[in-house]
Amino acid sequence: MKPNFTFLLLPFLVCFWVFSPKTLLAQSKTSKEAELVYVDQKGILRWKKDNQEAAFFGVNYTVPFAYGYRSVKARNVDLEKAIDQDVYHMARLGLDAFRVHVWDTEITDTLGNLLENEHLRLFDYLVYKLKQRNIRIMLTPIAFWGNGYPEKDEETPGFSRLYGKQKALVNEAAFKAQENYLKQLLHHVNPYTKLTYGADANIIGAEVNNEPHHSGPKARTTEYVNRMVAAMRGTGWTKPIFYNISESPRYADAVARANVNGFSFQWYPTGLVANHTLQGNYLPHVDRYHIPFDTIPEFRNKALMVYEFDAGDVLGSYLYPAMAKSFRGAGFQWATQFAYDPLATAYANTEYQTHYLNLAYTPSKAISLLIAAKAFHRLPLRKSYGVYPADSVFEAFRVSYKEALSEMNTAQEFLYSNSTRTQPVNAAKLKRVAGVGSSPLVSYSGTGAYFLDKLDKGVWRLEVMPDAIPIRDPFAKASPSKEVTRIQWQTQDMQIRLAELGETFTITAVNEGNTYLAAAQGGRFQVQPGTYVLSKKSKSGVKAEDTFGAMQVREFVAPPPVDTKPYVAHQPLKEVSAGKPFVLTAQIVGVSPDTKVSVQLNNQAAVYKTVAMLNAGASLFKAEVPAELTSPGLINYRILVQDGNRHVTFPGGYEGDPWAWDYYQNDTWQTFVAAPNGALPLFNPTTDRSIYVFPNLWRSDERQLITTLKPGQLVLKLTAKELPAEQTMGFHHYIGDKLKGRETELSGFGKLVIRIRTSNTTAVPVKVGLVTRNASAYAATVTVGTVFKDIEIPLSSLKPDSFVLLPRPYPGFHPFKFAGATSAPFQLQQVEKLEISLSQDPKSAPAGQPNGFEVEGVWLEKE
């Protein structure tokens, strides 16, 4: 029987009962709250109450300022409500740390006078709401940035616009403006908490500024830091003060000599702004955090924090706990991801294109962050868990690239970012379950995140988020008019297998506007997004206004759909094997259970066929293309969505009957069908542009696509005027998609062929490597001459080797290469990346001579 759901859909569905501010208002009667933490003589951040080591993990978040402010306002969303929504989700994810660089350019004048305006008021409101949720704050007063990105900077009134980042760090007038600003900011009283930032115990420390670009005499750098610290201390600030040491590593010794309690670092291990989703296994990139400053005497015995981190352009949900492990191994006690997307704009990921994190829109990544927070708090400082893949399991945590999974498994908590088969270590003692997909405890047909929290014996709270379906690349060029993730409120099937609840229990909705009431049979029931109390007894005794942690039982926040029109997200296979059927898959949203979906195919050999696409669950549709269509050549096809008399055809999303005489749109996808025993192309510069080059060769005479004697063929030409310190140049290219359509043939390929020449005056050694999904590299070095030549490399000759970690991380002092510990024989079926590199011994290489090579193609041939 279909359950009767009644929901109240508002511009954003929100159910909030704010905790009483009486406690906070009472604090205004005292001048200062008791501070929570201190840094001991060995540089360890500790709780004052018991002297135990402290750890904080959370996010950056920007709605009070800059584009975050403008973009939410442009959607006609109340900014305070937006903050309420997002802070609730931060609490729901178990985060206890917040940091953002305050856009001083929006709240100061050129002399550093504080401007009491809407930006400062909203920041104060955010500080207040974070305090209610026990999310601690690291105050970073100076950003230096303009307020435009991704738009053009506005003409803001502050000193940062006048001086810019570099002058602000050397100019005397700029020094005085910053000192003035710091004093006024720290004397400012938050109208919501009735406290100064220094008196507010929830603000546990400060980081002077954001990513300083130091230049000039090093003594001036030390002077700058000391003067800013003195300005802060002069206001009565007694909390720890940190300063960034990783942004200007050449000035690390000058920074280390300053009067600070600790140093701040950042980590973007997969680079930034790839303009598309990165494919492949990036766990080697986060295997360890390397600190190059430990030989500086003054660096020792200082606390360490990570002010920003993220795996940029990666959508997979397996990296955050591994990063948390590496942070703890390096000695960090604070880490805040950059940046949490506001719920109001996360549908389009416009704020920071290279980052994407939101509980509603990226549920698996959000649960992965929740698990990372747990790891950061539980793992001991400076403990090593070995080298990948040995360190994929650490304490109660597991990460898996193959399963796109982060996992935590303890007697009290069972958390997973994707479907898992892992059995909980002690299901009878569990107090919390959270995940996406299904597990031995929960079977769920939706794609949103869900949370199960034990409130009492036989009573659990269930929170279910709406389905989130990726429909466009969230890391491609962004626009508010381009939806990248579709939210769908749908009835889904759920089965809960908790012995304490048994097979029959009641499900009672408690969030506003939700009147659902049902009874589970065999642990099974249907559910829509909302918050529910599950009870073994007919009456749970739990009240909707009851609290658990820093939340109330009835709280719930979720967005309505931005769009409901049909949309088909599909990536065609590059090439498939002849004479064999293959499966087409597509994510299809905006359709009803009665919608008919089919794929119309034409193999350019007078064979036409229409095949039904069937719903495989979670908005995934599949169709098998029969072998009769896979004769060598080309298959063109389109996907047809029919709901009653309405037809929509993809690619293109064209409405209208595709069989009508005047239907003129002819957009199609295409897949090549390889000839029997045909070569398998791995890299063709004419069509393959998503490469990652080292060093960053971007000038017109460094990276070129040039023509050859072959009509229509391009060649990739890379030239390094001088090799970097690593004495290496080269590139990576993801090829997993090239192999996928011809998986059944892979065992028959025996040779790797590269058509290449060098632009050097003499022959050079070039390494050609293949990297597997397990991060094992196999390579061979060939001699490349000055004339184009097809060089054949037997796959049997490939030997285990290291590979360059591309894209390069930020900051750039992290490991350059990775060598996995493997003794396994090479398997082509495991390969997903191609690496081509040239290395020179500086002692033997001709001085002053550019290095380079030109690649026309790389392919596999059968023996």
Side-chain angles (χ1 to χ4, degrees):
M1 182 179 74
K2 186 175 181 179
N4 178 26
F5 289 96
T6 304
F7 286 91
L8 178 63
L9 282 177
L10 303 172
F12 280 89
L13 189 78
V14 184
C15 177
F16 275 111
W17 279 261
V18 176
F19 296 113
S20 170
K22 291 181 180 179
T23 303
L24 291 177
L25 292 176
Q27 292 164 352
S28 64
K29 298 177 182 179
T30 62
S31 59
K32 187 175 183 179
E33 296 176 336
E35 293 178 10
L36 298 179
V37 298
Y38 70 98
V39 177
D40 73 10
Q41 292 183 345
K42 294 185 177 180
I44 302 299
L45 191 65
R46 296 190 179 278
W47 293 105
K48 284 193 170 184
K49 62 183 179 182
D50 57 11
N51 296 319
Q52 293 299 303
E53 185 241 315
F56 305 91
F57 191 91
V59 292
N60 285 251
Y61 172 75
T62 69
V63 162
F65 304 107
Y67 179 80
Y69 170 86
R70 298 193 304 273
S71 61
V72 173
K73 193 173 182 179
R75 294 209 66 224
N76 296 315
V77 175
D78 181 276
L79 287 150
E80 290 186 7
K81 288 184 179 179
I83 290 171
D84 291 343
Q85 294 162 1
D86 293 324
V87 171
Y88 169 69
H89 279 169
M90 294 175 199
R92 178 66 281 190
L93 290 172
L95 306 180
D96 65 349
F98 165 82
R99 179 262 184 198
V100 74
H101 43 257
V102 172
W103 268 265
D104 56 277
T105 193
E106 291 187 319
I107 63 169
T108 67
D109 64 16
T110 57
L111 298 177
N113 294 310
L114 189 66
L115 305 179
E116 300 275 353
N117 58 21
E118 179 72 353
H119 299 293
L120 182 59
R121 185 192 70 80
L122 284 171
F123 182 68
D124 284 337
Y125 182 77
L126 174 59
V127 167
Y128 170 61
K129 302 306 289 189
L130 292 165
K131 186 180 182 73
Q132 289 182 326
R133 304 286 187 180
N134 294 324
I135 298 173
R136 312 306 182 188
I137 298 168
M138 184 68 67
L139 181 67
T140 304
I142 301 173
F144 298 122
W145 301 118
N147 74 339
Y149 184 88
E151 299 171 329
K152 184 179 179 180
D153 280 352
E154 296 179 322
E155 293 187 6
T156 50
F159 58 81
S160 286
R161 180 172 175 81
L162 176 64
Y163 297 106
K165 180 172 282 195
Q166 288 191 322
K167 287 184 179 179
L169 298 168
V170 294
N171 183 284
E172 180 61 26
F175 280 26
K176 291 180 178 178
Q178 291 171 82
E179 289 170 323
N180 183 37
Y181 162 62
L182 290 172
K183 292 174 183 177
Q184 292 193 26
L185 181 70
L186 296 186
H187 278 127
H188 162 75
V189 176
N190 184 327
Y192 297 97
T193 65
K194 312 300 181 186
L195 298 165
T196 64
Y197 298 149
D200 187 343
N202 201 58
I203 300 175
I204 67 162
E207 177 196 25
V208 173
N209 58 31
N210 181 73
E211 298 179 352
H213 290 175
H214 285 289
S215 61
K218 288 188 174 182
R220 185 66 164 161
T221 293
T222 306
E223 178 193 353
Y224 168 83
V225 180
N226 285 339
R227 284 176 61 174
M228 298 307 117
V229 171
M232 298 174 72
R233 296 293 187 202
T235 67
W237 181 279
T238 56
K239 301 173 185 180
I241 296 179
F242 293 78
Y243 197 86
N244 186 306
I245 198 170
S246 60
E247 182 71 13
S248 298
R250 290 198 309 111
Y251 286 79
D253 55 342
V255 170
R257 285 192 290 269
N259 301 323
V260 294
N261 305 107
F263 302 113
S264 61
F265 293 74
Q266 78 274 60
W267 201 18
Y268 295 116
T270 58
L272 294 168
V273 197
N275 290 307
H276 60 266
T277 298
L278 297 180
Q279 303 292 333
N281 183 356
Y282 287 93
L283 282 168
H285 291 242
V286 300
D287 204 48
R288 68 185 179 98
Y289 193 99
H290 172 65
I291 295 179
F293 310 126
D294 52 6
T295 58
I296 301 172
E298 295 87 351
F299 178 83
R300 299 166 193 160
N301 300 321
K302 296 291 177 70
L304 304 179
M305 64 170 280
V306 179
Y307 67 95
E308 291 178 8
F309 74 89
D310 196 24
D313 304 304
V314 176
L315 200 55
S317 65
Y318 61 96
L319 288 174
Y320 286 146
M323 296 180 77
K325 167 186 61 67
S326 294
F327 289 147
R328 295 296 286 170
F332 292 105
Q333 294 179 262
W334 174 286
T336 35
Q337 183 270 353
F338 191 93
Y340 190 84
D341 282 90
L343 190 67
T345 57
Y347 74 95
N349 192 31
T350 56
E351 188 179 36
Y352 292 96
Q353 169 194 328
T354 195
H355 309 291
Y356 197 29
L357 176 67
N358 179 274
L359 174 56
Y361 287 90
T362 64
S364 288
K365 282 188 72 174
I367 296 297
S368 179
L369 191 79
L370 162 61
I371 295 167
K374 298 289 185 180
F376 195 82
H377 286 85
R378 292 174 64 99
L379 298 178
L381 280 176
R382 296 186 171 88
K383 179 176 180 178
S384 172
Y385 293 89
V387 177
Y388 180 79
D391 59 353
S392 295
V393 178
F394 43 99
E395 307 290 340
F397 304 92
R398 181 171 75 93
V399 292
S400 170
Y401 164 66
K402 181 180 179 181
E403 300 172 68
L405 177 67
S406 301
E407 190 177 83
M408 174 183 175
N409 193 358
T410 70
Q412 290 77 38
E413 296 182 281
F414 187 44
L415 315 174
Y416 43 91
S417 68
N418 216 330
S419 291
T420 180
R421 296 180 180 178
T422 299
Q423 293 291 332
V425 295
N426 195 333
K429 291 187 177 181
L430 282 172
K431 296 181 179 179
R432 183 172 295 110
V433 178
V436 176
S438 296
S439 72
L441 292 181
V442 181
S443 295
Y444 183 52
S445 61
T447 62
Y450 53 83
F451 303 84
L452 278 161
D453 295 275
K454 184 175 179 179
L455 303 178
D456 201 349
K457 185 175 181 180
V459 182
W460 289 68
R461 179 186 187 271
L462 171 65
E463 184 172 353
V464 180
M465 296 296 291
D467 295 334
I469 303 99
I471 60 173
R472 293 183 180 92
D473 191 336
F475 304 115
K477 189 173 180 61
S479 168
S481 62
K482 186 180 77 171
E483 180 187 26
V484 298
T485 303
R486 175 68 60 86
I487 290 292
Q488 294 191 156
W489 289 60
Q490 301 181 109
T491 301
Q492 298 289 1
D493 296 322
M494 179 173 275
Q495 182 182 19
I496 295 176
R497 293 175 286 272
L498 287 170
E500 193 176 85
L501 285 175
E503 295 191 346
T504 58
F505 50 86
T506 59
I507 304 104
T508 307
V510 291
N511 62 292
E512 184 179 11
N514 188 352
T515 60
Y516 182 52
L517 177 65
Q521 299 297 326
R524 295 181 177 87
F525 56 99
Q526 290 187 307
V527 69
Q528 276 198 349
T531 302
Y532 306 87
V533 171
L534 313 182
S535 178
K536 181 69 175 173
K537 303 174 184 178
S538 58
K539 293 185 178 181
S540 66
V542 172
K543 297 178 181 179
E545 63 271 19
D546 287 349
T547 62
F548 67 109
M551 296 170 285
Q552 288 190 332
V553 171
R554 59 184 168 187
E555 287 189 276
F556 181 69
V557 175
V562 171
D563 197 353
T564 58
K565 294 192 298 289
Y567 187 83
V568 173
H570 171 67
Q571 281 294 324
L573 293 169
K574 304 290 185 182
E575 191 177 48
V576 296
S577 301
K580 297 181 183 297
F582 67 96
V583 175
L584 289 176
T585 63
Q587 293 284 153
I588 303 180
V589 295
V591 297
S592 69
D594 298 326
T595 301
K596 295 179 181 179
V597 182
S598 59
V599 54
Q600 181 201 8
L601 306 110
N602 170 19
N603 74 346
Q604 306 300 308
V607 179
Y608 292 81
K609 196 169 187 68
T610 298
V611 179
M613 295 195 79
L614 302 179
N615 192 339
S619 300
L620 181 66
F621 285 71
K622 295 182 178 182
E624 182 175 87
V625 179
E628 64 186 277
L629 280 160
T630 58
S631 56
L634 180 68
I635 298 176
N636 288 328
Y637 59 95
R638 57 186 182 174
I639 294 175
L640 316 177
V641 178
Q642 181 181 355
D643 194 350
N645 293 323
R646 184 189 184 194
H647 298 80
V648 188
T649 305
F650 294 85
Y654 300 115
E655 294 209 32
D657 184 355
W659 311 111
W661 71 270
D662 60 347
Y663 185 89
Y664 59 88
Q665 287 85 3
N666 57 6
D667 297 10
T668 60
W669 286 291
Q670 67 177 30
T671 293
F672 285 91
V673 181
N677 298 315
L680 197 166
L682 300 181
F683 176 63
N684 182 349
T686 306
T687 55
D688 295 326
R689 305 295 168 78
S690 296
I691 62 172
Y692 307 103
V693 178
F694 181 83
N696 184 23
L697 305 174
W698 59 271
R699 294 183 176 87
S700 60
D701 58 346
E702 294 178 328
R703 185 190 303 197
Q704 299 171 281
L705 287 171
I706 60 177
T707 54
T708 69
L709 296 176
K710 295 181 181 178
Q713 177 66 51
L714 294 176
V715 167
L716 173 66
K717 181 179 180 179
L718 297 179
T719 305
K721 296 171 185 176
E722 60 177 323
L723 293 179
E726 294 82 359
Q727 294 299 308
T728 298
M729 63 173 293
F731 72 94
H732 270 198
H733 178 53
Y734 179 78
I735 59 175
D737 54 344
K738 304 287 186 71
L739 305 181
K740 186 176 179 180
R742 298 183 68 182
E743 287 176 331
T744 59
E745 296 181 70
L746 293 183
S747 61
F749 290 99
K751 292 185 292 185
L752 178 66
V753 185
I754 179 171
R755 184 165 178 79
I756 189 173
R757 73 179 179 190
T758 181
S759 53
N760 292 27
T761 56
T762 58
V764 295
V766 171
K767 186 170 76 171
V768 182
L770 297 173
V771 184
T772 71
R773 63 177 67 112
N774 296 321
S776 296
Y778 300 82
T781 299
V782 298
T783 300
V784 175
T786 58
V787 177
F788 269 117
K789 181 181 179 182
D790 293 353
I791 300 176
E792 296 183 353
I793 305 170
L795 294 180
S796 60
S797 70
L798 299 177
K799 304 298 182 186
D801 207 328
S802 62
F803 63 92
V804 179
L805 294 170
L806 291 176
R808 291 300 298 142
Y810 187 78
F813 50 66
H814 288 283
F816 179 64
K817 291 186 176 182
F818 180 81
T822 180
S823 58
F826 173 76
Q827 290 184 296
L828 184 58
Q829 293 83 350
Q830 297 289 321
V831 168
E832 62 178 18
K833 289 182 183 177
L834 167 72
E835 178 185 295
I836 299 174
S837 61
L838 182 159
S839 298
Q840 291 275 44
D841 184 343
K843 295 180 180 179
S844 59
Q849 176 180 295
N851 285 276
F853 54 77
E854 301 171 20
V855 180
E856 186 174 314
V858 183
W859 63 92
L860 293 168
E861 287 185 358
K862 294 185 177 180
E863 293 182 305

